[in-house]
Amino acid sequence: MGAVCKTNKEVWRSYLSYLLPTVVGMVTYSLYCLADVLFVSLGVGSDGLAALNISLPIFTIYSCIAILIGVGASVTMTICRGEGDGKAASKVLTMAVVSIGIIGSTLMVLSIIFVKPIATILGANKEILEQAIGYLRPVTWGVLFYMFSGVLTVLVRSDGNPNLVMIAGIIGNLINIALDYIFIIPMKMGTFGAGLATAIGFSISMVILWFHFILKKNSVSFIKDFWDKELFKRMFNNGGGACILEISTGMTIFMINIALMKISGATAVAIYSVISNIAFIAKGMFGGMAQASQPIVSMHYGLKEYDTVKVAHRYAMWVAGVAGLITWIVIGLFSGQITAWLVDSDIHIIKQGQVAICTYLMSFSFMGLNTILMYYFQSLERPIYSGIMSFTRGIGLIFILLLILPKLWGELGVWLVLPVAEMITFVIFFIIRKKQVDGQLNILKEPRALHVA
């Protein structure tokens, strides 16, 4: 990380230096699946689109472990560096890479062997089962590379090289888009082609990210004597909230898919396929905004510069809230065209899609604010708050509201579930932040202020 920030302007400049490459990197990382949706819609049709949406939660399993290790290592490394303990930071880096190598290899083998049961568990019926397997098969071959890419994205950014992360994301995604077109349209490889293009894309991104270490741009190094039980536990605790958030994303898609299939059928699921991919990109955008603030927050927390911690968090909150509002307005204006282009041009389906998109995407501002809040708790090593918050917004409230709102308003009730869940979560945890976390930082700051006086 760069120089320590001393003024609000320096905090803002430091945040901006991370913001653009981090958001671009995270959004391009998220665009992998949207490119699949676009070309499957054009080249395969609504059944392929439904099969693709059914398959997407598998990425949650791989991503949640990669994020658990990557974010946990990033937070722990940065705080250790702020405290002046470079050796501990190097131990954490090495443990993270070794851990993802072992876990990723194991999951890759299991996914290849059990690909058909996985597709069935995810909800693929006999009409779309083969297409779901077609997409999943090449993805499972690349599980290890996907998970390495996820971990390295966070670690390289945290080690002060967000530009390389952005470059890796852009190149990998452009290759994915090009191959999606080639495999699906001229070569007519269907959902298998979409999965193969995605696997090749994220594998190339992973190779590019390794150049941070190959070219010796890293400030934290791999070491042989790396095992440390306490640091290992600390790393996993610090990544727990982000892991639960990732699981929650997949669970949300799974639960809403089931609810829509019961209430409205395959057309609503196809519309949700488009919505969930837009939301996936938004999640990447908000995650980028949160991760851009994480090195600043964690570093200054380690340095005991608590006022700077609050300033960095406040900037991230404003950026995420405004970005969420603008995104909702812009996409809402084009919701009809999006539905006609990616789902169906039938007038009734277009109206159905407009209602769905405008209602569901009301959640975006609160989604952004909640993502920043969750990462704030995590960056300050408050894993209990971040874990409970991630579970509440993504599984607990979604499950409860799906039992209530669809009974009141049918399909509209399903689309209202996420906005209501995000709003309730924000109110609860904003109060917790103000009263608990900020209050604790004020207490930690008091002895220092007395000493200066």
Side-chain angles (χ1 to χ4, degrees), residues 13-84:
R13 282 198 296 267
S14 182
Y15 180 60
L16 286 180
S17 72
Y18 277 89
L19 182 63
L20 180 61
T22 302
V23 169
V24 171
M26 291 290 287
V27 169
T28 52
Y29 192 69
S30 305
L31 283 171
Y32 282 116
C33 293
L34 186 61
D36 292 343
V37 167
L38 173 60
F39 287 105
V40 166
S41 172
L42 294 173
V44 182
S46 59
D47 282 349
L49 203 57
L52 186 62
N53 200 47
I54 286 291
S55 304
L56 288 181
I58 192 65
F59 285 100
T60 301
I61 299 171
Y62 309 140
S63 293
C64 75
I65 297 171
I67 286 174
L68 168 67
I69 295 172
V71 173
S74 173
V75 171
T76 311
M77 280 168 48
T78 311
I79 292 176
C80 288
R81 290 176 62 202
E83 293 169 342

Side-chain angles (χ1 to χ4, degrees), residues 116-282:
K116 185 174 181 178
I118 288 170
T120 305
I121 291 169
L122 290 173
N125 57 27
K126 61 182 180 181
E127 285 80 16
I128 61 173
L129 179 61
E130 288 305 314
Q131 294 193 60
I133 292 173
Y135 181 76
L136 288 171
R137 197 174 298 282
V139 168
T140 60
W141 298 339
V143 169
L144 178 62
F145 305 133
Y146 180 79
M147 295 177 72
F148 258 122
S149 180
V151 168
L152 290 174
T153 292
V154 183
L155 294 179
V156 171
R157 180 187 303 118
S158 179
D159 198 28
N161 200 351
N163 290 324
L164 182 63
V165 175
M166 178 176 68
I167 291 167
I170 291 172
I171 292 175
N173 195 60
L174 288 175
I175 290 171
N176 175 47
I177 292 170
L179 293 178
D180 262 332
Y181 170 75
I182 293 168
F183 291 159
I184 297 174
I185 306 300
M187 297 182 68
K188 301 188 183 303
M189 295 171 68
T191 55
F192 178 86
L196 182 60
T198 297
I200 293 172
F202 61 63
S203 298
I204 289 172
S205 292
M206 180 209 68
V207 172
I208 294 170
L209 289 168
W210 273 113
F211 278 90
H212 177 69
F213 302 98
I214 294 170
L215 299 177
K216 302 189 184 301
K217 301 291 185 181
N218 50 306
S219 59
V220 184
S221 304
F222 298 108
I223 58 175
K224 292 182 180 179
D225 182 22
F226 63 85
W227 176 248
D228 187 309
K229 182 179 178 181
E230 292 305 314
L231 281 174
F232 188 77
K233 287 168 59 179
R234 186 175 167 187
M235 178 179 76
F236 268 75
N237 285 336
N238 287 337
C243 174
I244 295 170
L245 177 62
E246 197 68 22
I247 293 172
S248 299
T249 302
M251 286 298 296
T252 297
I253 293 173
F254 177 74
M255 288 188 286
I256 291 179
N257 273 335
I258 298 299
L260 288 172
M261 190 64 82
K262 285 183 179 179
I263 294 171
S264 303
T267 299
V269 173
I271 292 170
Y272 184 53
S273 174
V274 175
I275 293 173
S276 61
N277 277 277
I278 294 171
F280 192 65
I281 294 169

Side-chain angles (χ1 to χ4, degrees), residues 50 65 67 112 129 213 260 265 299 334 352 365 367 369 434:
I65 297 171
I67 286 174
I112 291 170
L129 179 61
F213 302 98
L260 288 172
M299 176 67 78
F334 296 97
Q352 184 183 8
S365 278
M367 182 188 296
L369 293 170
K434 292 284 286 184

